[in-house]
Amino acid sequence: MEGADTEARSRAYWRANVRTVLFCLAIWFVASYGAGILLVEPLNAIQIGGFPLGFWFAQQGSILVFLVLIAFYAWRMNRLDREYDVHEP
């Protein structure tokens, strides 16, 4: 019976991990491809520091979003590890 419980917890942990990865990939896609390529013309109507917003997303914004996503993923995975008791001692 314990083996079935452990397997169910492992599956739940894996589902939570995959949800986190898919969430991060969706945000990254929207920031880099969506804002930097697909929506560049409407975003270029907005200026930040003298630069069009679409240009800013293509050059720097997607990189900054990626760095924030790395920090979020590390934080979220540490939290999931503790929640499912698979964290490092």
Side-chain angles (χ1 to χ4, degrees):
M1 192 69 179
E2 186 175 308
D5 187 43
T6 301
E7 186 173 326
R9 284 185 61 79
S10 295
R11 287 179 188 254
Y13 174 74
W14 184 246
R15 277 194 305 271
N17 185 359
V18 169
R19 270 195 313 268
T20 301
V21 169
L22 291 176
F23 173 77
C24 290
L25 287 174
I27 297 294
W28 192 30
F29 175 79
V30 169
S32 63
Y33 192 74
I37 297 173
L38 295 177
L39 300 173
V40 71
E41 292 300 326
L43 289 175
N44 279 343
I46 302 169
Q47 301 277 322
I48 292 182
F51 294 101
L53 185 59
F55 173 78
W56 185 84
F57 261 105
Q59 297 301 313
Q60 296 157 350
S62 58
I63 295 169
L64 293 175
V65 169
F66 183 65
L67 292 175
V68 169
L69 285 175
I70 289 171
F72 169 77
Y73 180 77
W75 171 79
R76 179 69 180 144
M77 286 311 298
N78 283 333
R79 193 169 167 177
L80 283 176
D81 288 351
R82 283 193 297 275
E83 183 178 324
Y84 288 94
D85 198 25
V86 293
H87 61 285
E88 296 174 3

